[in-house]
Amino acid sequence: MRRRRDGNIADQPWFRQPSPVAARRVVVLGAGVAGAAAAFSLAEAGFEVRVLDRRPAPAMETSAHPGAVVMPIISQAPAPVSSYHCHAYAQTLARIALLEARGLDPGWHPTGVVHLLTKSRLRKLYDGLAETGYPDGLVQRGSAEQVAALTGLPAAQPGLVFPKAGWVDARAYVAAQLNHARITFVGDADIAEIEADSSGWRLLGRDGGCVAETPLLVLAAAADCVRFPLCDWFPLIRIRGQLAYVDPQSCGQDLRAVVCHDGYTIPHTDAGHLMGATFDYDRTDTALDRNDFENLVLRNRDLFAFRGEAADLPLAGRVAFRAKCHDHLPMVGAVPDYDAYMGAYGDITKGRAYVDYPDAPYVPGLYVTTGHGSRGMISSIAAAEILTAQLLGRPAPVTPGLLAAVHPARFIIRRLLRRQPSLREDGARRRGDATLNAWR
C-alpha cells in the first residue's frame, strides 16, 4: 500500500540536510557582516578559516556603516520572519557579550530602541502586546512619558520599547569577529570565478590565476553571489540605500536612544546622528542624492526642532547596496544543485509520497549566507550558527520549520508547486532587461 504524503517539514526530502563534512579548512568569500559572522562561528567550532574580500580591508562596502540598529522583529502571531529574527536577536546579544568578555570591542551601544506607532500594525501590536507572549525583557509598552525619559525627546509619543536593544558600529562589529586565532583575512582578492576540482574549490582572480584552493567554500558576497553560474538562479533583490549624517547640534534636542519611525535615527555615531534609510530598487548610482538626504531629515521633523531648514544642512551620508529575498528571510546553508533539484522534484505536484523522492542534491562543498537585507547585523549571526551546525552534522539551533524557511531551495520548490517559470530562466530574462530589478 502506498504511503500518504506527510505534512511534516522534517520529512520533506527537498529540505533534508547534507551529510557532515570531514574537512576543517574553509574559505569565506566576503568580509562584511555575513562573512565575519560565518567566519567567527566556524573558527569557534575548530575550522581554519580564510576570509577573502576584493577590498583591501574588511567592511569596506555595505558593512561600512558607522551605525546599525540591533533589534528584533516582532508580530502579533507567530510567523517565520519574526520567529527567525527574535532568535537571531538573542544570538546576537550573546555574541556581543562573548566578544566583550574576550576584551574585544564590537562597537556596541545598548541605548535601548523605541519604535513609534507610525503604522496601524504597530498600534495593534502595542494594544495587544500582552497577548503575544513576548517577555518584558524583549519588548514593553512605553507611554509617552517613558519614551521621553528614554530618548530625551520632549515631544515624545507612546511606542514599543526594546530595552536591551541598541546599535553597533558595523565596522567594529566585523573587526571584532575577525579577530580570532583561526581566522586569516586576505584583502584585494577579487574573485572572478569559482571552479570545482577533485579536492574542492579553486578561486580564480580576474587574470585567471588561482587565488585560493579550499575543500569548503562559503559565499557571503550579498547579491554578487549570482555572478557565479552555480548561483545564478538565486532570487536576490539588490536595493540601493542612502543614509543621512546630521550634526547633533543642528537637531535642537539631544537624543539618547535609537528611535524607529518611518525610518530610524541612531544617536551620536562618529558621523553624527545617523538617519536612514532609503529603499531604491531601480537605481545603481552611488553618489549622494540631495533630495534623498532632505527627505530622510524631514522624516524626523516631528522629533527634532531643527535649527534651520533641511535644505540648509550640509549634504553628508553614504550610499550602499544590500541584498534581500522577497520573503524577508536569508538564504542559508548548502547550495542546492539547481539542475538536479529540477530533475528530482519536477513532478512535485503529482502527489507522490515523500519516500519516492531522493534526498536533496547539493553542490559538494559549497555553502551560502546571503539575502540578509536591512537586518544583517542580527540575521547573519543566526545564519552563521545554522551553517556551522550543518557542516558539523549537529542538530540545528532552530526548529525544522525555520530551517526550511531559510533553506536556499525553498524558492525552487515554491516555483515548482506553483507551476511558475524556472528561476534560472526567469532570472536570465530579468538580468537581460535593464528596466527590471530581478525578483522585485
Side-chain angles (χ1 to χ4, degrees), residues 28-37 39-40 49-66 169-180 183-189 220 318 377:
V28 175
L29 185 58
V33 291
F40 183 87
V49 186
R50 278 182 295 166
V51 179
L52 274 57
D53 198 276
R54 61 189 172 194
R55 301 291 187 178
M60 290 192 69
E61 295 195 16
T62 302
S63 300
H65 290 338
D169 181 322
R171 302 159 299 184
Y173 189 54
V174 167
Q177 292 182 87
L178 293 180
N179 188 357
H180 194 288
I183 296 175
T184 302
F185 172 75
V186 180
D188 294 316
R318 72 183 303 261
M377 297 302 137

Side-chain angles (χ1 to χ4, degrees), residues 113-344:
V113 174
V114 173
H115 205 312
L116 302 179
L117 311 179
T118 52
K119 296 179 173 64
S120 60
R121 176 186 67 82
L122 294 168
R123 290 190 288 273
K124 290 177 182 176
L125 189 53
Y126 182 89
D127 292 338
L129 190 61
E131 285 72 53
T132 63
Y134 290 118
D136 282 350
L138 182 76
V139 59
Q140 305 164 3
R141 284 163 48 109
S143 66
E145 293 75 19
Q146 289 168 325
V147 169
L150 177 63
T151 64
L153 299 177
Q157 314 157 32
L160 293 164
V161 176
F162 299 86
K164 296 180 181 178
W167 64 276
V168 291
D169 181 322
R171 302 159 299 184
Y173 189 54
V174 167
Q177 292 182 87
L178 293 180
N179 188 357
H180 194 288
R182 283 191 285 272
I183 296 175
T184 302
F185 172 75
V186 180
D188 294 316
D190 193 1
I191 304 303
E193 296 180 55
I194 58 173
E195 180 180 273
D197 65 16
S198 59
S199 59
W201 293 93
R202 300 176 73 241
L203 284 72
L204 308 180
R206 296 289 173 187
D207 61 359
C210 183
V211 176
E213 294 181 295
T214 179
L216 303 171
L217 175 59
V218 176
L219 301 177
D224 277 354
C225 291
V226 301
R227 291 193 295 110
F228 305 117
L230 289 168
C231 306
D232 62 0
W233 57 271
F234 285 7
L236 293 168
I237 304 169
R238 190 169 184 260
I239 303 171
R240 179 188 185 275
Q242 180 169 317
L243 303 175
Y245 303 156
V246 178
D247 185 343
Q249 297 299 316
S250 301
C251 295
Q253 294 93 17
D254 193 23
L255 179 65
R256 297 194 291 264
V258 177
V259 177
C260 299
H261 38 88
D262 291 330
Y264 60 86
T265 302
I266 300 174
H268 300 291
T269 74
D270 63 12
H273 286 350
L274 186 155
M275 299 177 180
T278 62
F279 282 75
D280 289 310
Y281 292 89
D282 301 313
R283 291 175 60 180
T284 58
D285 58 294
T286 58
L288 286 174
D289 184 296
R290 182 77 213 185
N291 287 333
D292 283 349
F293 173 84
E294 292 179 20
N295 286 333
L296 287 169
V297 172
L298 289 173
R299 289 180 187 179
N300 292 269
R301 62 183 177 272
D302 293 333
L303 301 179
F304 299 109
F306 286 105
R307 294 177 177 140
E309 299 296 324
D312 299 326
L313 295 173
L315 177 63
R318 72 183 303 261
V319 171
F321 296 87
R322 49 195 179 273
K324 63 168 280 189
C325 301
H326 63 77
D327 61 2
H328 306 290
L329 287 165
M331 299 175 73
V332 182
V335 172
D337 183 327
Y338 182 83
D339 292 332
Y341 256 80
M342 295 298 288

Side-chain angles (χ1 to χ4, degrees), residues 16 20 76 93 105:
R16 286 187 190 137
Q76 283 186 293
L93 295 184
D105 177 15

